CSV table of all heavy atoms in Angstrom, one decimal:
chain,number,residue,atom,x,y,z
E,1,VAL,N,21.9,198.2,159.7
E,1,VAL,CA,20.5,198.4,160.0
E,1,VAL,C,20.1,199.8,159.5
E,1,VAL,O,21.0,200.7,159.2
E,1,VAL,CB,20.2,198.4,161.6
E,1,VAL,CG1,20.5,197.1,162.1
E,1,VAL,CG2,21.1,199.5,162.3
E,2,GLN,N,18.8,200.1,159.4
E,2,GLN,CA,18.3,201.3,159.0
E,2,GLN,C,18.2,202.3,160.2
E,2,GLN,O,18.2,201.9,161.3
E,2,GLN,CB,16.9,201.2,158.4
E,2,GLN,CG,16.9,200.4,157.1
E,2,GLN,CD,15.5,200.3,156.5
E,2,GLN,OE1,14.5,200.6,157.2
E,2,GLN,NE2,15.4,199.9,155.3
E,3,PRO,N,18.3,203.6,159.9
E,3,PRO,CA,18.2,204.6,161.0
E,3,PRO,C,16.9,204.3,161.8
E,3,PRO,O,15.8,204.0,161.3
E,3,PRO,CB,18.1,205.9,160.3
E,3,PRO,CG,18.9,205.7,159.0
E,3,PRO,CD,18.6,204.3,158.7
E,4,GLY,N,17.0,204.4,163.2
E,4,GLY,CA,16.0,204.1,164.0
E,4,GLY,C,15.9,202.6,164.5
E,4,GLY,O,15.1,202.3,165.4
E,5,GLY,N,16.7,201.8,163.9
E,5,GLY,CA,16.7,200.4,164.3
E,5,GLY,C,17.6,200.2,165.5
E,5,GLY,O,18.1,201.0,166.1
E,6,SER,N,17.7,198.9,165.8
E,6,SER,CA,18.3,198.5,167.0
E,6,SER,C,19.4,197.3,166.8
E,6,SER,O,19.1,196.5,165.9
E,6,SER,CB,17.4,198.0,168.1
E,6,SER,OG,16.5,199.0,168.5
E,7,LEU,N,20.3,197.2,167.6
E,7,LEU,CA,21.3,196.1,167.6
E,7,LEU,C,21.7,195.8,169.0
E,7,LEU,O,21.8,196.7,169.8
E,7,LEU,CB,22.5,196.4,166.7
E,7,LEU,CG,22.4,196.3,165.2
E,7,LEU,CD1,23.7,196.8,164.5
E,7,LEU,CD2,22.1,194.9,164.8
E,8,ARG,N,22.1,194.6,169.3
E,8,ARG,CA,22.7,194.3,170.5
E,8,ARG,C,24.1,193.7,170.3
E,8,ARG,O,24.2,192.6,169.7
E,8,ARG,CB,21.8,193.3,171.4
E,8,ARG,CG,22.4,192.9,172.7
E,8,ARG,CD,21.5,191.9,173.5
E,8,ARG,NE,20.3,192.6,173.9
E,8,ARG,CZ,19.4,192.1,174.7
E,8,ARG,NH1,19.4,190.8,175.0
E,8,ARG,NH2,18.3,192.8,175.0
E,9,LEU,N,25.1,194.3,170.8
E,9,LEU,CA,26.4,193.8,170.8
E,9,LEU,C,26.8,193.0,171.9
E,9,LEU,O,26.4,193.2,173.0
E,9,LEU,CB,27.4,195.0,170.6
E,9,LEU,CG,27.1,196.0,169.5
E,9,LEU,CD1,28.2,197.0,169.4
E,9,LEU,CD2,27.0,195.2,168.1
E,10,SER,N,27.7,192.0,171.8
E,10,SER,CA,28.1,191.1,172.9
E,10,SER,C,29.7,191.2,172.9
E,10,SER,O,30.4,191.4,171.9
E,10,SER,CB,27.7,189.7,172.6
E,10,SER,OG,26.4,189.5,172.6
E,11,CYS,N,30.2,191.1,174.2
E,11,CYS,CA,31.6,191.2,174.4
E,11,CYS,C,31.9,190.0,175.4
E,11,CYS,O,31.6,190.0,176.5
E,11,CYS,CB,32.0,192.5,175.1
E,11,CYS,SG,33.7,192.6,175.7
E,12,GLU,N,32.5,188.9,174.8
E,12,GLU,CA,32.9,187.8,175.6
E,12,GLU,C,34.3,188.0,176.0
E,12,GLU,O,35.2,188.3,175.3
E,12,GLU,CB,32.7,186.5,174.8
E,12,GLU,CG,31.3,186.2,174.4
E,12,GLU,CD,31.2,184.8,173.7
E,12,GLU,OE1,32.2,184.0,173.7
E,12,GLU,OE2,30.2,184.6,173.0
E,13,VAL,N,34.6,187.8,177.4
E,13,VAL,CA,35.8,188.0,177.9
E,13,VAL,C,36.4,186.7,178.4
E,13,VAL,O,35.8,186.0,179.2
E,13,VAL,CB,35.8,189.0,179.1
E,13,VAL,CG1,37.2,189.3,179.6
E,13,VAL,CG2,35.1,190.3,178.6
E,14,HIS,N,37.7,186.4,178.0
E,14,HIS,CA,38.3,185.2,178.3
E,14,HIS,C,39.7,185.5,179.0
E,14,HIS,O,40.3,186.4,178.6
E,14,HIS,CB,38.5,184.3,177.1
E,14,HIS,CG,37.3,183.9,176.4
E,14,HIS,ND1,36.5,182.8,176.7
E,14,HIS,CD2,36.6,184.6,175.3
E,14,HIS,CE1,35.4,182.8,175.9
E,14,HIS,NE2,35.5,183.9,175.1
E,15,GLY,N,40.1,184.6,179.9
E,15,GLY,CA,41.4,184.8,180.5
E,15,GLY,C,41.5,186.0,181.4
E,15,GLY,O,42.6,186.6,181.6
E,16,TYR,N,40.4,186.3,182.1
E,16,TYR,CA,40.3,187.5,183.0
E,16,TYR,C,39.3,187.2,184.1
E,16,TYR,O,38.4,186.5,183.9
E,16,TYR,CB,39.8,188.7,182.1
E,16,TYR,CG,40.4,190.0,182.6
E,16,TYR,CD1,41.6,190.5,182.0
E,16,TYR,CD2,39.7,190.9,183.4
E,16,TYR,CE1,42.2,191.7,182.3
E,16,TYR,CE2,40.3,192.1,183.8
E,16,TYR,CZ,41.4,192.4,183.2
E,16,TYR,OH,42.0,193.7,183.6
E,17,PHE,N,39.6,187.8,185.3
E,17,PHE,CA,38.7,187.7,186.4
E,17,PHE,C,37.6,188.7,186.2
E,17,PHE,O,37.5,189.8,186.7
E,17,PHE,CB,39.4,188.0,187.7
E,17,PHE,CG,38.6,187.6,188.9
E,17,PHE,CD1,37.8,186.5,189.0
E,17,PHE,CD2,38.7,188.5,190.0
E,17,PHE,CE1,37.2,186.2,190.1
E,17,PHE,CE2,38.0,188.2,191.2
E,17,PHE,CZ,37.2,187.0,191.2
E,18,PHE,N,36.7,188.2,185.4
E,18,PHE,CA,35.6,189.1,184.8
E,18,PHE,C,34.8,189.8,185.8
E,18,PHE,O,34.5,191.0,185.7
E,18,PHE,CB,34.7,188.4,183.8
E,18,PHE,CG,33.7,189.2,183.2
E,18,PHE,CD1,34.0,190.1,182.1
E,18,PHE,CD2,32.3,189.0,183.5
E,18,PHE,CE1,33.0,190.8,181.5
E,18,PHE,CE2,31.3,189.7,183.0
E,18,PHE,CZ,31.6,190.6,182.0
E,19,GLN,N,34.3,189.1,186.9
E,19,GLN,CA,33.4,189.6,187.8
E,19,GLN,C,33.9,190.8,188.5
E,19,GLN,O,33.1,191.6,189.0
E,19,GLN,CB,33.0,188.5,188.8
E,19,GLN,CG,32.3,187.3,188.2
E,19,GLN,CD,33.2,186.2,187.9
E,19,GLN,OE1,34.4,186.4,187.4
E,19,GLN,NE2,32.8,185.0,188.0
E,20,ALA,N,35.2,191.0,188.7
E,20,ALA,CA,35.7,192.1,189.5
E,20,ALA,C,36.1,193.3,188.7
E,20,ALA,O,36.7,194.3,189.3
E,20,ALA,CB,37.0,191.6,190.3
E,21,TYR,N,35.8,193.3,187.4
E,21,TYR,CA,36.4,194.4,186.6
E,21,TYR,C,35.3,195.2,185.8
E,21,TYR,O,34.1,194.7,185.6
E,21,TYR,CB,37.4,193.8,185.6
E,21,TYR,CG,38.6,193.4,186.2
E,21,TYR,CD1,38.7,192.2,186.9
E,21,TYR,CD2,39.8,194.3,186.3
E,21,TYR,CE1,39.9,191.8,187.5
E,21,TYR,CE2,40.9,193.9,186.9
E,21,TYR,CZ,41.0,192.7,187.5
E,21,TYR,OH,42.2,192.3,188.2
E,22,THR,N,35.6,196.4,185.5
E,22,THR,CA,34.8,197.2,184.7
E,22,THR,C,34.9,196.9,183.2
E,22,THR,O,36.1,196.6,182.7
E,22,THR,CB,35.1,198.7,185.0
E,22,THR,OG1,34.8,199.0,186.3
E,22,THR,CG2,34.3,199.7,184.0
E,23,VAL,N,33.9,197.0,182.5
E,23,VAL,CA,33.8,196.8,181.1
E,23,VAL,C,33.5,198.1,180.3
E,23,VAL,O,32.6,198.8,180.8
E,23,VAL,CB,32.8,195.7,180.6
E,23,VAL,CG1,32.9,195.5,179.1
E,23,VAL,CG2,33.2,194.4,181.3
E,24,GLY,N,34.2,198.4,179.3
E,24,GLY,CA,33.9,199.5,178.5
E,24,GLY,C,33.7,199.2,177.0
E,24,GLY,O,34.2,198.2,176.5
E,25,TRP,N,32.8,199.9,176.4
E,25,TRP,CA,32.6,199.8,174.9
E,25,TRP,C,33.1,201.1,174.3
E,25,TRP,O,33.0,202.2,174.8
E,25,TRP,CB,31.1,199.7,174.6
E,25,TRP,CG,30.6,198.3,174.7
E,25,TRP,CD1,29.9,197.7,175.8
E,25,TRP,CD2,30.7,197.2,173.8
E,25,TRP,NE1,29.5,196.4,175.5
E,25,TRP,CE2,30.0,196.1,174.3
E,25,TRP,CE3,31.3,197.1,172.5
E,25,TRP,CZ2,29.9,194.9,173.6
E,25,TRP,CZ3,31.2,196.0,171.8
E,25,TRP,CH2,30.6,194.9,172.4
E,26,TYR,N,33.7,200.9,173.1
E,26,TYR,CA,34.3,202.0,172.4
E,26,TYR,C,33.9,201.9,170.9
E,26,TYR,O,33.5,200.8,170.4
E,26,TYR,CB,35.8,202.0,172.5
E,26,TYR,CG,36.3,201.9,174.0
E,26,TYR,CD1,36.3,200.6,174.5
E,26,TYR,CD2,36.6,203.0,174.7
E,26,TYR,CE1,36.7,200.6,175.9
E,26,TYR,CE2,37.0,202.9,176.0
E,26,TYR,CZ,37.0,201.7,176.6
E,26,TYR,OH,37.4,201.6,177.9
E,27,ARG,N,34.1,202.9,170.1
E,27,ARG,CA,33.9,202.8,168.7
E,27,ARG,C,34.9,203.7,168.0
E,27,ARG,O,35.4,204.7,168.5
E,27,ARG,CB,32.4,203.3,168.3
E,27,ARG,CG,32.1,204.7,168.6
E,27,ARG,CD,30.6,205.0,168.5
E,27,ARG,NE,30.2,206.3,168.7
E,27,ARG,CZ,28.9,206.7,168.6
E,27,ARG,NH1,28.0,205.9,168.5
E,27,ARG,NH2,28.6,208.0,168.8
E,28,GLN,N,35.1,203.3,166.7
E,28,GLN,CA,36.1,204.0,165.9
E,28,GLN,C,35.7,204.0,164.4
E,28,GLN,O,35.3,203.0,163.9
E,28,GLN,CB,37.5,203.4,166.1
E,28,GLN,CG,38.6,204.1,165.4
E,28,GLN,CD,40.0,203.5,165.7
E,28,GLN,OE1,40.1,202.3,165.9
E,28,GLN,NE2,41.0,204.3,165.7
E,29,THR,N,35.9,205.2,163.8
E,29,THR,CA,35.7,205.3,162.4
E,29,THR,C,37.0,205.6,161.7
E,29,THR,O,37.9,206.1,162.4
E,29,THR,CB,34.6,206.4,162.0
E,29,THR,OG1,35.1,207.6,162.5
E,29,THR,CG2,33.3,206.0,162.6
E,30,PRO,N,37.2,205.4,160.4
E,30,PRO,CA,38.5,205.7,159.8
E,30,PRO,C,38.9,207.1,159.9
E,30,PRO,O,38.1,208.0,159.8
E,30,PRO,CB,38.2,205.4,158.3
E,30,PRO,CG,37.1,204.3,158.3
E,30,PRO,CD,36.3,204.7,159.5
E,31,GLY,N,40.2,207.3,160.3
E,31,GLY,CA,40.7,208.6,160.5
E,31,GLY,C,40.4,209.2,161.8
E,31,GLY,O,40.8,210.3,162.1
E,32,LYS,N,39.7,208.5,162.7
E,32,LYS,CA,39.4,209.0,164.0
E,32,LYS,C,39.9,208.2,165.1
E,32,LYS,O,40.2,207.0,165.0
E,32,LYS,CB,37.8,209.1,164.2
E,32,LYS,CG,37.1,209.9,163.1
E,32,LYS,CD,37.4,211.4,163.3
E,32,LYS,CE,36.6,212.2,162.3
E,32,LYS,NZ,36.8,213.6,162.4
E,33,GLN,N,40.2,208.8,166.3
E,33,GLN,CA,40.5,208.0,167.4
E,33,GLN,C,39.4,207.2,168.0
E,33,GLN,O,38.2,207.6,167.8
E,33,GLN,CB,41.1,208.9,168.5
E,33,GLN,CG,42.4,209.6,168.1
E,33,GLN,CD,43.0,210.3,169.3
E,33,GLN,OE1,42.3,210.9,170.1
E,33,GLN,NE2,44.4,210.6,169.3
E,34,ARG,N,39.7,206.2,168.8
E,34,ARG,CA,38.6,205.5,169.5
E,34,ARG,C,37.9,206.4,170.4
E,34,ARG,O,38.5,207.2,171.1
E,34,ARG,CB,39.2,204.3,170.2
E,34,ARG,CG,39.5,203.1,169.4
E,34,ARG,CD,39.9,201.8,170.2
E,34,ARG,NE,40.1,200.7,169.4
E,34,ARG,CZ,41.2,200.3,168.8
E,34,ARG,NH1,42.3,201.1,168.9
E,34,ARG,NH2,41.3,199.2,168.1
């Protein structure tokens, strides 16, 4: 996308009691830690 634009990311969780847990989003670029 161009600067100023928008995106919506999705995270589907399988094999987990999803309702009772916290969800986190992370990001990583080459040479950097998450």
